[in-house]
Each structure stands twice: as structure tokens, then as C-alpha cells.
Amino acid sequence: GDDLQNIVIKKGQVIKYDIKYGGEPEPEVVWQLNGVEIKDDNDKITIDKYERNTVVTVRRAVRADSGKYKLILTNSSGVCEGIAEVVVLDKPSKPVGPLEPIEVRANHITVQWTKPDDNGGSDITGYVIEKMDMDTGRWVPAGEVGPKSPGTFKLEGLTPKKKYKVRVKAVNKEGESDPLETDQAIVAKNPYDEPGRPGKPDIIDYDNKSVTLKWKKPENDGGRPILHYIIEAKDKFSMDWEEVAKTDDNNPEGKVEGLKEKMVYQFRVKAVNKAGASEPSDPTDNHICKHRNLKPRIDRDGMKSVTIKAGRTHKWTVDVSGEPPPTLTWIWRDGIALITTDRIKIENVDYQTNFTIVNATRRDTGKYTLVAENANGKDTESLELTVLAKPSRPEGPLEVSNITKNGCKLAWKKPTDDGGTPVKEYEVEKMDLATGKWVRVGKVPGDRDNPEMVITGLEPGAEYKFRVTAINDEGDSEPLETERAIVAKNPYDEPTKPGTPIVVDYDHESVKLKWDKPDSDGGAPIEKYIIEKKDKFKPDWEPAIEVPADQLSAKVPGLKEQAEYQFRIIAVNKAGPSPASDPSKMHLVKHKALKPRIDRTNLKNIVVRAGKMVKYDVNIRGEPPPEVTWFLVDKPTDVVIGQVKSEGNVEIINVPYNTKI
């Protein structure tokens, strides 16, 4: 019996006892398991008998093969027994049911079970619980608990009103048992219901950041008291409702803070009891988050002064804040309230006005004022409209003065309306009545306060009309025309020629002239004298200077020294220049008084042979021309020997400004 020992094996392994024995006569051998004889089936179980040796083998052991193995030896002399304990380790059997819920709520279920009948040969280490949402048909882990029996587990996080099945597996070190499953699906619901829907909320107060809501309680509280209310909101850009506030108690009134000004919202309410939240109430109508009482305020960004061209259409869109919505009025010039006409369109809606001027004309230029007013105050703002057009025609009369045979002078006044943009210039035209055609004669800058123009190039004796047009960036005005034609002729003649000029003084770069006035001024006062000069070696006369009419003498500067000039005088009156005077005598430009100075260039010491000629040619300056005298001087002593005269072998030739010896 020494070899009959207790053994522990895993499921699937082999149980084998090989036992030797003795006895006379040879004993009869019997193997028992838990008091039941073991039979040889030539497959799983075999019992082999040898001489005084027995071998029992149990293959593919299972949990049922566990127990007390007994060997009984019997002969005529007696009985001998040996016993050993065999444990086959396996997973536990499934827990003992039924698996029943002991608590059911909308978001959790608690179930209970008892330990398995067979722990599989080793201690139960715990239980694994799984759940199945009947909508999905999939088992998913729900949690684990320890080996305590009876075992309980709370499945949390369930979706209210969904059906669930639950199963439990026992666990030992060999693995998990088959599951024990609930007989029927369990509905996750409270033994009481959620409240009914609250009434549609009313907005009883608001400002630019919040609203205060009030509603009716649900008609049915679901069997449990209402704990509080949830307020949800949705702006116009959102598809989903969001919880924005929760009441402290079951009072059906609440305030929502933190709203965005000018955003459009809807609100709804849910009642909450122990079972959960009710279905939401009907939503409120759209509500603009705004002040309830607010002084009007015009948005200045829309009140822009503009400049447009005539014929164009312009529209102003101006936003206005204020609560209640202000009344809006447009006023023009002297307090005239504007209304919609063919050319003025005014469209007022809450918080905005659209003001349109169609096909604008120059007379629409001016100041327009918007007045916004409600019970809380008043606001005004103005804008300037400038309509650009052609100028009005220049103001008359178109005066013609200073008429001569070749020209005249025109004068007129600026237009009363420059068309909204400065007059750039005036265009002046003339018409010879003999041709009947208008011809442009010139332009005058538009910035002159008293515009005028001197006309030249008229044909003596011809009849003329004149007209003036104002021009700005938008175009040409209507012309201002002379009322009657004028004849190009002088009311007076040119002066007669002045007296011949006389040189009364001079120096090396100028002369002073004197002359007599003309015998006749031609009927109009002499305005000035023109002095002309002519170089001896040039063919043409050229202007020198001009002097006022009250001067009959003048200094002519800028002359070239040693040049020879003639001068003449021309008198000028309104009719034009007189014939030139007779020319003066030829005048050499030189100093009138100048200390003598000898040009020493040619005065050099020379040595010559007797019989040769000596010649000096010496220039001399000085005014009047100096008198020249030659002297002979003793060189060693510088003593004058005597005056040298032109005689004998000496020839002296003196001319003004030069001497030759």
C-alpha cells in the first residue's frame, strides 16, 4: 500500500496506480472509486493484472474522475485494502441560479447568485459579469467581483428603458466556468416614471445678456416629486439644444445668463424627478437678445457723406439700436420730413432704415438728418450729399470794354453754382457776324474771383459777338453771351512819333537819353515809352527798356564798351505804339572821365645797331582822350634830356587813344 498515494492532476491528464502485492493463495483484486467498482472498458479505463501486480489506468481524466480510489485484495486468509485521494483540477461549474435582479432602476441593475456546486478542485477566485443590450445582441464585459457568496453586482451606466440580459461566470485558477444567464431580459427602468412635459416657457423679463423664463408645472410628476428643472437653449445657427441653466428647486421659473447680444435664441424646459428628466417642453418663439429699455443710438458707420454724379442712384443703409425699436424719420434742409416719392425711397424696419435717392440731380445736394426716437430718448445724425453736375452758366452781363480796332476786354462773374466741383476754366469764343461761326479765342483759369480776358487779333471794322462757358470735371455749362455785337475800331489813335533822343550823359556801359514828347497823344493818354537800340554792325532794332509816360529821359544800361549804338523812342497809348522817333546820332560807348593809363605791352627795352629803325605803337586809355608827349631820358641818371618832337629822323603820330613814334 505504500505506492497508493494521493495525487492532484489537471483535466485531461492520466490517473495511474501500479501496485505490487503478496498473499497465499494469490488474492483476488478489486478497484473501487468512491465505493463503486471500477470496470475495464478497454478505452478510457484499463485494469491490467500481472503476477502479484495490478495496474489501473484512467485516461483523459475529467472532474468526475476525482475521488477516493480503493484497492481491495481478498483470499481465504483475509482482506487487505489501500485508499488514495485523487483530485482532477478543472474550471468550476457554473454558479448556482437563478440569476435574478434584486434592484432595477433606469440607469442600473443589481443581480445576485450563489457559488457553483463544484469549484473545479480549486478555490473560486471571483466572478466575471457580462451584459447584453438586446438591441445589439452582443455580450460585453460589465465588471468583476470577488468570491463572496452569495454574490451581487451592480451594473451601472445603463440606458433607461433599454432591455438587458446578464450572465455570471465563476473563476478559479483553471479558468472561467460556463455562464449562468438571466432567464429573461430586464428593462432598465425605475419603479416610477419621469415627469410629464412642462408648459411652454414665457419670457417675462430680458436684457442684452439674459432672459427670465416662467412656465407651468407638468400635469403629472411621474409618481415622485419634481426635484428641479433644466433650461435648454438653441441659437439660430445651431442644430442642437444645450443645457444653459438649472433651477435650485421645483419653482417653475429661471434665469439664463451669458447670452450674446443680438443673437436669436429659443428656450425649452425639462422637469427632473428621481426617475430622470422629462420630455422637453415646447420651445419659446425666437427671441433676440437685446436691451428691454435703451435710448436710441444711430450707427454712425452708415451715415457717410457722399459725392455722386448727377443721374446716379445712391442708397444708405443705417442700423439703429434702441428698445423699444425707435421710430425713424429723415429730414432735409429746413426741417422738412421726407416721404417716399418717385425719386426718394424710404424703407424703415425695426433697427434699420434704407434711404435711397434715385436719379440724383444737382438740387438734391444738401444735408440730410436721421432722427431716431423712442420712449427712452432721441438721437440724431446728419450726412452731406453732394451731387456733381455741370456748372450753371457764368453770371452776366458779359461786359465788353476797351474796344480797339484789334481787340477788346471781356469781364463776367463766376457761376452761382459750380456744380459741386471747382470750375477749372472758362472757354471764351468769338463770332464774326460776317461768317456766323463761333471760334475759340482762349481759356481763363477758373480760380479767379473776377474773371476777365483781353481779346486780340480782331479784324478792324468787323462786328463781333462773344460768349463764355464755365467748365468743371463734369462738363460745360450753358454759355453766357454778349447782348449785342461790337465793332472792332479804336476810340482814339496812336500817338505821333516822339522827338529825336539826345545823349546827355554816358559812361563805359550805359547812356542817358532825353527826348521830347509827341506833338499828339492820339486822344488817349500815353501809357509808356519804349526805348530801342541798334548796334552799328547789326541790321535790326531791339528793345532796350520801357519807362512810364511821365518820364522824358532814361538811362539805358547793359551796353558793350567800345560798341557804337543808335537809339530811338516809341510812345504807347491804348490804341497802340506810335511810329518810332528819328534815331539818335551814333554813340561810342566809353568812359566820360578816366585817368590816363598807358598800355605798356609794347614798351620794351631794345638794343639796335646804328642806322636801324626803332618803332613803338602804344595804346592809351583815358577820357577825354589824353594829350601825349614823348621825352628822351638819360638812362644812367634818369635825367630828362628833352622833349622828343616829330622832326628829322623822328616821326610821332598821335591819334585819340594811340601814339606811334
Side-chain angles (χ1 to χ4, degrees):
D2 292 340
D3 294 329
L4 204 63
Q5 297 178 353
N6 296 339
I7 60 174
V8 177
I9 64 171
K10 291 183 180 293
K11 176 184 177 182
Q13 292 183 333
V14 177
I15 304 170
K16 185 176 182 180
Y17 283 106
D18 185 347
I19 305 298
K20 292 179 173 55
Y21 59 87
E24 292 295 341
E26 185 171 339
E28 180 185 339
V29 178
V30 176
W31 284 94
Q32 289 182 348
L33 173 59
N34 296 326
V36 178
E37 185 177 353
I38 300 172
K39 300 293 185 180
D40 186 334
D41 61 8
N42 290 319
D43 180 18
K44 176 178 170 69
I45 301 173
T46 59
I47 300 174
D48 296 312
K49 183 177 180 184
Y50 304 99
E51 184 179 353
R52 300 187 187 279
N53 180 211
T54 180
V55 179
V56 62
T57 304
V58 180
R59 298 170 181 82
R60 301 184 297 281
V62 294
R63 181 68 180 147
D65 295 327
S66 299
K68 293 181 178 180
Y69 282 77
K70 180 187 289 186
L71 172 62
I72 303 173
L73 301 177
T74 306
N75 64 11
S76 57
S77 299
V79 177
C80 179
E81 296 180 355
I83 296 175
E85 187 83 22
V86 175
V87 177
V88 178
L89 298 178
D90 195 0
K91 301 173 185 176
S93 62
K94 69 179 180 181
V96 176
L99 181 60
E100 292 181 342
I102 59 175
E103 183 184 43
V104 179
R105 293 290 183 270
N107 58 2
H108 72 268
I109 298 172
T110 302
V111 292
Q112 181 176 289
W113 64 93
T114 55
K115 66 181 180 179
D117 291 334
D118 178 9
N119 66 3
S122 61
D123 291 339
I124 301 295
T125 58
Y127 296 91
V128 173
I129 299 90
E130 295 177 321
K131 67 180 179 181
M132 180 174 68
D133 183 336
M134 299 298 288
D135 291 341
T136 66
R138 293 195 308 271
W139 288 100
V140 295
E144 297 180 6
V145 294
K148 180 181 177 182
S149 182
T152 60
F153 183 78
K154 186 176 183 180
L155 292 88
E156 297 185 295
L158 305 183
T159 303
K161 298 189 178 177
K162 282 207 169 189
K163 292 182 178 180
Y164 293 91
K165 274 197 168 187
V166 184
R167 67 185 185 185
V168 180
K169 298 176 186 178
V171 182
N172 66 8
K173 64 181 180 180
E174 298 303 312
E176 297 177 353
S177 72
D178 291 333
L180 170 66
E181 191 174 316
T182 53
D183 294 333
Q184 295 179 340
I186 305 166
V187 180
K189 65 184 289 295
N190 292 320
Y192 37 84
D193 295 321
E194 298 87 356
R197 297 171 65 196
K200 177 180 177 180
D202 293 321
I203 298 174
I204 60 173
D205 196 10
Y206 60 88
D207 59 22
N208 65 325
K209 294 180 181 178
S210 67
V211 297
T212 300
L213 304 171
K214 191 171 185 178
W215 56 90
K216 289 184 178 179
K217 294 183 177 182
E219 295 180 358
N220 175 19
D221 64 5
R224 293 300 294 267
I226 292 174
L227 302 175
H228 60 266
Y229 292 91
I230 295 171
I231 302 174
E232 296 181 328
K234 179 173 77 71
D235 65 54
K236 68 176 182 179
F237 299 111
S238 175
M239 297 294 294
D240 301 322
W241 290 88
E242 291 184 10
E243 180 178 327
V244 291
K246 186 185 293 184
T247 63
D248 295 330
D249 51 30
N250 63 358
N251 184 30
E253 186 173 321
K255 185 173 184 179
V256 180
E257 305 273 6
L259 302 179
K260 294 181 181 178
E261 189 169 358
K262 298 185 180 178
M263 182 63 79
V264 177
Y265 292 95
Q266 285 183 289
F267 303 92
R268 68 183 188 185
V269 180
K270 293 179 180 178
V272 180
N273 67 6
K274 195 169 184 179
S278 70
E279 290 295 312
S281 69
D282 291 334
T284 63
D285 297 332
N286 283 340
H287 170 74
I288 300 175
C289 183
K290 60 184 181 179
H291 289 277
R292 189 166 191 176
N293 287 285
L294 183 66
K295 180 182 176 182
R297 172 70 179 168
I298 297 169
D299 183 356
R300 267 65 178 169
D301 288 344
M303 296 289 289
K304 300 291 187 184
S305 297
V306 297
T307 300
I308 61 174
K309 293 180 181 291
R312 298 287 178 86
T313 295
H314 191 79
K315 179 179 180 180
W316 289 269
T317 298
V318 184
D319 294 327
V320 181
S321 59
E323 295 300 338
T327 57
L328 305 172
T329 307
W330 285 94
I331 295 174
W332 187 48
R333 289 186 181 169
D334 302 324
I336 301 172
L338 296 175
I339 59 173
T340 296
T341 65
D342 290 341
R343 290 198 314 103
I344 295 177
K345 309 292 183 186
I346 299 175
E347 298 173 354
N348 291 337
V349 295
D350 286 352
Y351 315 113
Q352 190 179 83
T353 178
N354 293 292
F355 177 52
T356 307
I357 293 182
V358 180
N359 193 21
T361 63
R362 179 65 183 150
R363 69 173 180 270
D364 292 327
T365 295
K367 183 166 82 170
Y368 293 81
T369 300
L370 175 60
V371 179
E373 190 169 7
N374 67 9
N376 297 302
K378 178 179 179 181
D379 191 19
T380 62
E381 181 63 15
S382 298
L383 59 85
E384 293 280 349
L385 171 63
T386 303
V387 181
L388 302 180
K390 301 172 183 178
S392 61
R393 74 175 189 173
E395 287 294 295
L398 180 53
E399 296 178 348
V400 186
S401 60
N402 299 354
I403 301 170
T404 68
K405 65 181 180 180
N406 299 118
C408 62
K409 180 180 177 182
L410 299 180
W412 61 93
K413 296 182 179 64
K414 298 191 296 185
T416 54
D417 181 9
D418 63 6
T421 182
V423 174
K424 292 166 56 179
E425 60 190 11
Y426 298 95
E427 184 175 82
V428 181
E429 297 174 291
K430 68 181 179 181
M431 182 177 68
D432 187 336
L433 295 187
T435 66
K437 293 182 179 179
W438 287 101
V439 179
R440 190 172 77 179
V441 295
K443 294 184 177 181
V444 175
D447 57 356
R448 297 183 179 176
D449 290 332
N450 296 298
E452 60 183 25
M453 184 178 187
V454 175
I455 307 295
T456 59
L458 302 182
E459 287 293 326
E463 285 190 87
Y464 290 94
K465 274 195 165 187
F466 301 94
R467 68 182 186 186
V468 179
T469 304
I471 301 172
N472 68 6
D473 288 335
E474 301 304 310
D476 301 355
S477 72
E478 293 295 318
L480 170 67
E481 194 173 318
T482 52
E483 296 176 355
R484 55 181 180 274
I486 60 103
V487 178
K489 66 174 186 178
N490 289 332
Y492 31 75
D493 297 319
E494 298 87 354
T496 57
K497 69 179 182 180
T500 304
I502 301 170
V503 177
V504 296
D505 198 6
Y506 61 88
D507 59 19
H508 65 293
E509 59 183 8
S510 66
V511 298
K512 184 175 182 182
L513 302 175
K514 182 178 180 183
W515 63 91
D516 293 327
K517 64 182 180 180
D519 293 334
S520 169
D521 62 8
I526 293 173
E527 296 176 346
K528 64 181 179 180
Y529 291 100
I530 299 172
I531 302 175
E532 295 183 329
K533 64 184 179 181
K534 178 179 173 298
D535 191 297
K536 178 179 180 180
F537 299 105
K538 292 183 180 179
D540 299 322
W541 289 88
E542 57 185 60
I545 62 170
E546 295 182 5
V547 296
D550 58 353
Q551 286 187 218
L552 295 176
S553 63
K555 181 178 181 180
V556 180
L559 305 180
K560 293 181 181 177
E561 189 173 356
Q562 298 300 316
E564 295 186 69
Y565 293 93
Q566 285 182 290
F567 302 95
R568 67 182 187 184
I569 312 296
I570 297 171
V572 180
N573 68 1
K574 287 185 178 181
S578 71
S581 69
D582 293 334
S584 68
K585 294 178 180 179
M586 194 67 71
H587 172 75
L588 177 66
V589 179
K590 60 182 181 178
H591 286 278
K592 188 173 185 180
L594 183 66
K595 178 182 177 183
R597 178 163 179 80
I598 299 169
D599 183 353
R600 289 161 170 76
T601 303
N602 295 334
L603 284 176
K604 296 180 179 177
N605 298 328
I606 59 175
V607 178
V608 299
R609 292 182 184 276
K612 296 290 185 179
M613 182 177 72
V614 176
K615 181 178 181 180
Y616 286 100
D617 186 338
V618 182
N619 291 326
I620 299 168
R621 297 184 66 191
E623 295 296 341
E627 182 181 332
V628 179
T629 306
W630 287 89
F631 294 92
L632 180 62
V633 180
D634 181 54
K635 182 177 180 182
T637 63
D638 282 342
V639 175
V640 176
I641 298 172
Q643 181 178 348
V644 180
K645 297 183 179 180
S646 183
E647 59 186 12
N649 67 335
V650 177
E651 181 186 18
I652 296 175
I653 302 173
N654 288 332
V655 296
Y657 315 115
N658 182 264
T659 179
K660 296 181 181 67
I661 184 170

